[in-house]
Amino acid sequence: MARVKYLQRSDTDADQALFDRLERERKVPTANIFSALANAPQALDGFISYANSLRGSQLSPKLRELAILTVGHCTGSVYEIAHHQSHGLNAGISAQQLQAVPEFESSPLFNEEERAVMALARESTLKVDVSEPTWRKAAAFLSEREQVELVLTIGWYNSGVRIMGALAIELEDGYH
């Protein structure tokens, strides 16, 4: 059970403008992570803006989703993995690749660029500091802007899984 109330539009203390934004920019019904964070409306507003900026980046959506899924698997975040599998499919990740994310290094389903990005995501998630060899492998495929966008994505989703874990955010029924 979540550690905070999932606010709904109908709650008297709900920020109606924020729920207008959630309905305009996200799925309806609102995901549990957003309903929980609605308890801190100003922070949720910034949270949504940051997430939207990452989705609008120049980094390939496929690479972005592979990095996010790697973060999810490294941290054991069932919520993150479940929510980003559909995003991954939409970004061009195959169903077979989705299953192989935990073993990306040895899987023939990923190319050198994908493995390099996923290795950077794993190392950043598990060790925080990224070694020079890991960085160079990924950077060889990306512009400096994409490098920064990748790091921001990895860092952002690492914060997200920690928020979900601390608040015990439950996976919505449609994702089981």
PDB file of all heavy atoms in Angstrom, residues 82-107:
ATOM      1  N   ALA A  82       7.477  -1.934 -15.924  1.00  0.00           N
ATOM      2  CA  ALA A  82       6.135  -2.117 -16.489  1.00  0.00           C
ATOM      3  C   ALA A  82       5.699  -0.902 -17.294  1.00  0.00           C
ATOM      4  O   ALA A  82       5.155  -1.033 -18.392  1.00  0.00           O
ATOM      5  CB  ALA A  82       5.130  -2.403 -15.373  1.00  0.00           C
ATOM      6  N   HIS A  83       5.943   0.288 -16.779  1.00  0.00           N
ATOM      7  CA  HIS A  83       5.509   1.495 -17.482  1.00  0.00           C
ATOM      8  C   HIS A  83       6.324   1.764 -18.739  1.00  0.00           C
ATOM      9  O   HIS A  83       5.792   2.334 -19.698  1.00  0.00           O
ATOM     10  CB  HIS A  83       5.563   2.703 -16.541  1.00  0.00           C
ATOM     11  CG  HIS A  83       4.313   2.860 -15.740  1.00  0.00           C
ATOM     12  ND1 HIS A  83       3.310   3.704 -16.109  1.00  0.00           N
ATOM     13  CD2 HIS A  83       3.899   2.247 -14.618  1.00  0.00           C
ATOM     14  CE1 HIS A  83       2.322   3.624 -15.239  1.00  0.00           C
ATOM     15  NE2 HIS A  83       2.655   2.735 -14.312  1.00  0.00           N
ATOM     16  N   HIS A  84       7.572   1.360 -18.739  1.00  0.00           N
ATOM     17  CA  HIS A  84       8.411   1.708 -19.893  1.00  0.00           C
ATOM     18  C   HIS A  84       8.517   0.603 -20.940  1.00  0.00           C
ATOM     19  O   HIS A  84       9.082   0.830 -21.998  1.00  0.00           O
ATOM     20  CB  HIS A  84       9.758   2.246 -19.429  1.00  0.00           C
ATOM     21  CG  HIS A  84       9.623   3.678 -19.033  1.00  0.00           C
ATOM     22  ND1 HIS A  84       9.757   4.707 -19.932  1.00  0.00           N
ATOM     23  CD2 HIS A  84       9.260   4.238 -17.858  1.00  0.00           C
ATOM     24  CE1 HIS A  84       9.513   5.850 -19.318  1.00  0.00           C
ATOM     25  NE2 HIS A  84       9.203   5.587 -18.053  1.00  0.00           N
ATOM     26  N   GLN A  85       7.954  -0.549 -20.696  1.00  0.00           N
ATOM     27  CA  GLN A  85       7.947  -1.562 -21.754  1.00  0.00           C
ATOM     28  C   GLN A  85       7.110  -1.089 -22.943  1.00  0.00           C
ATOM     29  O   GLN A  85       7.531  -1.242 -24.085  1.00  0.00           O
ATOM     30  CB  GLN A  85       7.449  -2.895 -21.214  1.00  0.00           C
ATOM     31  CG  GLN A  85       8.500  -3.566 -20.366  1.00  0.00           C
ATOM     32  CD  GLN A  85       8.099  -4.941 -19.873  1.00  0.00           C
ATOM     33  OE1 GLN A  85       6.930  -5.285 -19.804  1.00  0.00           O
ATOM     34  NE2 GLN A  85       9.083  -5.732 -19.531  1.00  0.00           N
ATOM     35  N   SER A  86       5.956  -0.500 -22.686  1.00  0.00           N
ATOM     36  CA  SER A  86       5.131  -0.015 -23.803  1.00  0.00           C
ATOM     37  C   SER A  86       5.809   1.149 -24.515  1.00  0.00           C
ATOM     38  O   SER A  86       5.774   1.239 -25.745  1.00  0.00           O
ATOM     39  CB  SER A  86       3.731   0.386 -23.320  1.00  0.00           C
ATOM     40  OG  SER A  86       3.804   1.447 -22.381  1.00  0.00           O
ATOM     41  N   HIS A  87       6.461   2.036 -23.744  1.00  0.00           N
ATOM     42  CA  HIS A  87       7.216   3.128 -24.371  1.00  0.00           C
ATOM     43  C   HIS A  87       8.337   2.555 -25.237  1.00  0.00           C
ATOM     44  O   HIS A  87       8.615   3.058 -26.325  1.00  0.00           O
ATOM     45  CB  HIS A  87       7.813   4.060 -23.315  1.00  0.00           C
ATOM     46  CG  HIS A  87       6.815   4.813 -22.515  1.00  0.00           C
ATOM     47  ND1 HIS A  87       5.954   5.733 -23.048  1.00  0.00           N
ATOM     48  CD2 HIS A  87       6.539   4.778 -21.188  1.00  0.00           C
ATOM     49  CE1 HIS A  87       5.194   6.247 -22.099  1.00  0.00           C
ATOM     50  NE2 HIS A  87       5.521   5.674 -20.960  1.00  0.00           N
ATOM     51  N   GLY A  88       8.983   1.515 -24.727  1.00  0.00           N
ATOM     52  CA  GLY A  88      10.063   0.879 -25.474  1.00  0.00           C
ATOM     53  C   GLY A  88       9.583   0.269 -26.773  1.00  0.00           C
ATOM     54  O   GLY A  88      10.223   0.430 -27.818  1.00  0.00           O
ATOM     55  N   LEU A  89       8.467  -0.427 -26.725  1.00  0.00           N
ATOM     56  CA  LEU A  89       7.898  -1.003 -27.952  1.00  0.00           C
ATOM     57  C   LEU A  89       7.591   0.095 -28.958  1.00  0.00           C
ATOM     58  O   LEU A  89       7.892  -0.033 -30.151  1.00  0.00           O
ATOM     59  CB  LEU A  89       6.639  -1.812 -27.637  1.00  0.00           C
ATOM     60  CG  LEU A  89       6.857  -3.128 -26.892  1.00  0.00           C
ATOM     61  CD1 LEU A  89       5.526  -3.702 -26.421  1.00  0.00           C
ATOM     62  CD2 LEU A  89       7.614  -4.137 -27.749  1.00  0.00           C
ATOM     63  N   ASN A  90       7.011   1.198 -28.482  1.00  0.00           N
ATOM     64  CA  ASN A  90       6.692   2.325 -29.369  1.00  0.00           C
ATOM     65  C   ASN A  90       7.946   2.978 -29.940  1.00  0.00           C
ATOM     66  O   ASN A  90       7.901   3.579 -31.004  1.00  0.00           O
ATOM     67  CB  ASN A  90       5.855   3.368 -28.632  1.00  0.00           C
ATOM     68  CG  ASN A  90       4.455   2.884 -28.346  1.00  0.00           C
ATOM     69  OD1 ASN A  90       3.930   2.001 -29.015  1.00  0.00           O
ATOM     70  ND2 ASN A  90       3.831   3.453 -27.323  1.00  0.00           N
ATOM     71  N   ALA A  91       9.064   2.865 -29.228  1.00  0.00           N
ATOM     72  CA  ALA A  91      10.325   3.456 -29.674  1.00  0.00           C
ATOM     73  C   ALA A  91      11.126   2.530 -30.579  1.00  0.00           C
ATOM     74  O   ALA A  91      12.198   2.898 -31.043  1.00  0.00           O
ATOM     75  CB  ALA A  91      11.162   3.858 -28.460  1.00  0.00           C
ATOM     76  N   GLY A  92      10.638   1.311 -30.798  1.00  0.00           N
ATOM     77  CA  GLY A  92      11.324   0.398 -31.703  1.00  0.00           C
ATOM     78  C   GLY A  92      12.078  -0.739 -31.041  1.00  0.00           C
ATOM     79  O   GLY A  92      12.794  -1.489 -31.712  1.00  0.00           O
ATOM     80  N   ILE A  93      11.942  -0.891 -29.742  1.00  0.00           N
ATOM     81  CA  ILE A  93      12.548  -2.028 -29.059  1.00  0.00           C
ATOM     82  C   ILE A  93      11.636  -3.229 -29.287  1.00  0.00           C
ATOM     83  O   ILE A  93      10.425  -3.134 -29.117  1.00  0.00           O
ATOM     84  CB  ILE A  93      12.697  -1.748 -27.544  1.00  0.00           C
ATOM     85  CG1 ILE A  93      13.598  -0.528 -27.322  1.00  0.00           C
ATOM     86  CG2 ILE A  93      13.243  -2.969 -26.816  1.00  0.00           C
ATOM     87  CD1 ILE A  93      13.625  -0.043 -25.878  1.00  0.00           C
ATOM     88  N   SER A  94      12.203  -4.346 -29.680  1.00  0.00           N
ATOM     89  CA  SER A  94      11.387  -5.529 -29.930  1.00  0.00           C
ATOM     90  C   SER A  94      11.000  -6.194 -28.606  1.00  0.00           C
ATOM     91  O   SER A  94      11.640  -5.984 -27.573  1.00  0.00           O
ATOM     92  CB  SER A  94      12.149  -6.533 -30.795  1.00  0.00           C
ATOM     93  OG  SER A  94      13.192  -7.132 -30.043  1.00  0.00           O
ATOM     94  N   ALA A  95       9.962  -7.018 -28.662  1.00  0.00           N
ATOM     95  CA  ALA A  95       9.534  -7.765 -27.474  1.00  0.00           C
ATOM     96  C   ALA A  95      10.671  -8.666 -26.974  1.00  0.00           C
ATOM     97  O   ALA A  95      10.855  -8.829 -25.759  1.00  0.00           O
ATOM     98  CB  ALA A  95       8.285  -8.587 -27.788  1.00  0.00           C
ATOM     99  N   GLN A  96      11.452  -9.222 -27.896  1.00  0.00           N
ATOM    100  CA  GLN A  96      12.576 -10.071 -27.504  1.00  0.00           C
ATOM    101  C   GLN A  96      13.651  -9.252 -26.796  1.00  0.00           C
ATOM    102  O   GLN A  96      14.254  -9.706 -25.820  1.00  0.00           O
ATOM    103  CB  GLN A  96      13.172 -10.779 -28.734  1.00  0.00           C
ATOM    104  CG  GLN A  96      12.245 -11.770 -29.390  1.00  0.00           C
ATOM    105  CD  GLN A  96      11.197 -11.098 -30.290  1.00  0.00           C
ATOM    106  OE1 GLN A  96      11.292  -9.932 -30.660  1.00  0.00           O
ATOM    107  NE2 GLN A  96      10.158 -11.855 -30.638  1.00  0.00           N
ATOM    108  N   GLN A  97      13.896  -8.044 -27.283  1.00  0.00           N
ATOM    109  CA  GLN A  97      14.872  -7.176 -26.631  1.00  0.00           C
ATOM    110  C   GLN A  97      14.409  -6.792 -25.218  1.00  0.00           C
ATOM    111  O   GLN A  97      15.215  -6.729 -24.301  1.00  0.00           O
ATOM    112  CB  GLN A  97      15.124  -5.911 -27.453  1.00  0.00           C
ATOM    113  CG  GLN A  97      15.956  -6.147 -28.692  1.00  0.00           C
ATOM    114  CD  GLN A  97      16.092  -4.881 -29.521  1.00  0.00           C
ATOM    115  OE1 GLN A  97      15.112  -4.227 -29.825  1.00  0.00           O
ATOM    116  NE2 GLN A  97      17.329  -4.543 -29.854  1.00  0.00           N
ATOM    117  N   LEU A  98      13.111  -6.524 -25.073  1.00  0.00           N
ATOM    118  CA  LEU A  98      12.593  -6.180 -23.747  1.00  0.00           C
ATOM    119  C   LEU A  98      12.930  -7.274 -22.738  1.00  0.00           C
ATOM    120  O   LEU A  98      13.332  -6.984 -21.614  1.00  0.00           O
ATOM    121  CB  LEU A  98      11.076  -5.975 -23.779  1.00  0.00           C
ATOM    122  CG  LEU A  98      10.563  -4.702 -24.427  1.00  0.00           C
ATOM    123  CD1 LEU A  98       9.038  -4.705 -24.467  1.00  0.00           C
ATOM    124  CD2 LEU A  98      11.095  -3.455 -23.725  1.00  0.00           C
ATOM    125  N   GLN A  99      12.781  -8.516 -23.166  1.00  0.00           N
ATOM    126  CA  GLN A  99      13.071  -9.644 -22.268  1.00  0.00           C
ATOM    127  C   GLN A  99      14.566  -9.789 -21.999  1.00  0.00           C
ATOM    128  O   GLN A  99      14.965 -10.320 -20.961  1.00  0.00           O
ATOM    129  CB  GLN A  99      12.519 -10.946 -22.866  1.00  0.00           C
ATOM    130  CG  GLN A  99      11.007 -10.948 -23.021  1.00  0.00           C
ATOM    131  CD  GLN A  99      10.287 -10.708 -21.704  1.00  0.00           C
ATOM    132  OE1 GLN A  99      10.597 -11.324 -20.695  1.00  0.00           O
ATOM    133  NE2 GLN A  99       9.338  -9.783 -21.706  1.00  0.00           N
ATOM    134  N   ALA A 100      15.381  -9.321 -22.934  1.00  0.00           N
ATOM    135  CA  ALA A 100      16.825  -9.518 -22.832  1.00  0.00           C
ATOM    136  C   ALA A 100      17.569  -8.362 -22.149  1.00  0.00           C
ATOM    137  O   ALA A 100      18.782  -8.444 -21.974  1.00  0.00           O
ATOM    138  CB  ALA A 100      17.407  -9.747 -24.232  1.00  0.00           C
ATOM    139  N   VAL A 101      16.869  -7.311 -21.755  1.00  0.00           N
ATOM    140  CA  VAL A 101      17.549  -6.167 -21.140  1.00  0.00           C
ATOM    141  C   VAL A 101      18.457  -6.582 -19.980  1.00  0.00           C
ATOM    142  O   VAL A 101      19.604  -6.127 -19.913  1.00  0.00           O
ATOM    143  CB  VAL A 101      16.539  -5.068 -20.718  1.00  0.00           C
ATOM    144  CG1 VAL A 101      17.186  -4.015 -19.828  1.00  0.00           C
ATOM    145  CG2 VAL A 101      15.928  -4.408 -21.954  1.00  0.00           C
ATOM    146  N   PRO A 102      18.026  -7.453 -19.063  1.00  0.00           N
ATOM    147  CA  PRO A 102      18.922  -7.810 -17.959  1.00  0.00           C
ATOM    148  C   PRO A 102      20.231  -8.472 -18.399  1.00  0.00           C
ATOM    149  O   PRO A 102      21.229  -8.398 -17.691  1.00  0.00           O
ATOM    150  CB  PRO A 102      18.086  -8.779 -17.113  1.00  0.00           C
ATOM    151  CG  PRO A 102      16.670  -8.460 -17.447  1.00  0.00           C
ATOM    152  CD  PRO A 102      16.692  -8.048 -18.898  1.00  0.00           C
ATOM    153  N   GLU A 103      20.240  -9.099 -19.559  1.00  0.00           N
ATOM    154  CA  GLU A 103      21.447  -9.767 -20.065  1.00  0.00           C
ATOM    155  C   GLU A 103      21.965  -9.076 -21.329  1.00  0.00           C
ATOM    156  O   GLU A 103      22.485  -9.723 -22.242  1.00  0.00           O
ATOM    157  CB  GLU A 103      21.153 -11.238 -20.401  1.00  0.00           C
ATOM    158  CG  GLU A 103      20.686 -12.071 -19.220  1.00  0.00           C
ATOM    159  CD  GLU A 103      19.168 -11.996 -18.998  1.00  0.00           C
ATOM    160  OE1 GLU A 103      18.417 -11.825 -19.964  1.00  0.00           O
ATOM    161  OE2 GLU A 103      18.750 -12.087 -17.835  1.00  0.00           O
ATOM    162  N   PHE A 104      21.834  -7.749 -21.384  1.00  0.00           N
ATOM    163  CA  PHE A 104      22.163  -7.026 -22.618  1.00  0.00           C
ATOM    164  C   PHE A 104      23.587  -7.252 -23.090  1.00  0.00           C
ATOM    165  O   PHE A 104      23.857  -7.293 -24.287  1.00  0.00           O
ATOM    166  CB  PHE A 104      21.886  -5.526 -22.457  1.00  0.00           C
ATOM    167  CG  PHE A 104      22.842  -4.803 -21.555  1.00  0.00           C
ATOM    168  CD1 PHE A 104      24.017  -4.277 -22.059  1.00  0.00           C
ATOM    169  CD2 PHE A 104      22.560  -4.636 -20.214  1.00  0.00           C
ATOM    170  CE1 PHE A 104      24.903  -3.599 -21.228  1.00  0.00           C
ATOM    171  CE2 PHE A 104      23.426  -3.965 -19.372  1.00  0.00           C
ATOM    172  CZ  PHE A 104      24.604  -3.442 -19.885  1.00  0.00           C
ATOM    173  N   GLU A 105      24.533  -7.420 -22.169  1.00  0.00           N
ATOM    174  CA  GLU A 105      25.937  -7.562 -22.580  1.00  0.00           C
ATOM    175  C   GLU A 105      26.192  -8.808 -23.405  1.00  0.00           C
ATOM    176  O   GLU A 105      27.009  -8.788 -24.313  1.00  0.00           O
ATOM    177  CB  GLU A 105      26.846  -7.572 -21.352  1.00  0.00           C
ATOM    178  CG  GLU A 105      27.047  -6.202 -20.774  1.00  0.00           C
ATOM    179  CD  GLU A 105      28.099  -6.211 -19.685  1.00  0.00           C
ATOM    180  OE1 GLU A 105      28.002  -7.052 -18.773  1.00  0.00           O
ATOM    181  OE2 GLU A 105      29.002  -5.376 -19.766  1.00  0.00           O
ATOM    182  N   SER A 106      25.497  -9.873 -23.108  1.00  0.00           N
ATOM    183  CA  SER A 106      25.728 -11.128 -23.821  1.00  0.00           C
ATOM    184  C   SER A 106      24.665 -11.417 -24.882  1.00  0.00           C
ATOM    185  O   SER A 106      24.800 -12.397 -25.613  1.00  0.00           O
ATOM    186  CB  SER A 106      25.780 -12.287 -22.820  1.00  0.00           C
ATOM    187  OG  SER A 106      24.553 -12.386 -22.125  1.00  0.00           O
ATOM    188  N   SER A 107      23.670 -10.580 -24.977  1.00  0.00           N
ATOM    189  CA  SER A 107      22.590 -10.834 -25.929  1.00  0.00           C
ATOM    190  C   SER A 107      22.963 -10.370 -27.337  1.00  0.00           C
ATOM    191  O   SER A 107      23.392  -9.227 -27.524  1.00  0.00           O
ATOM    192  CB  SER A 107      21.314 -10.119 -25.490  1.00  0.00           C
ATOM    193  OG  SER A 107      20.335 -10.238 -26.495  1.00  0.00           O
TER     194      SER A 107
END
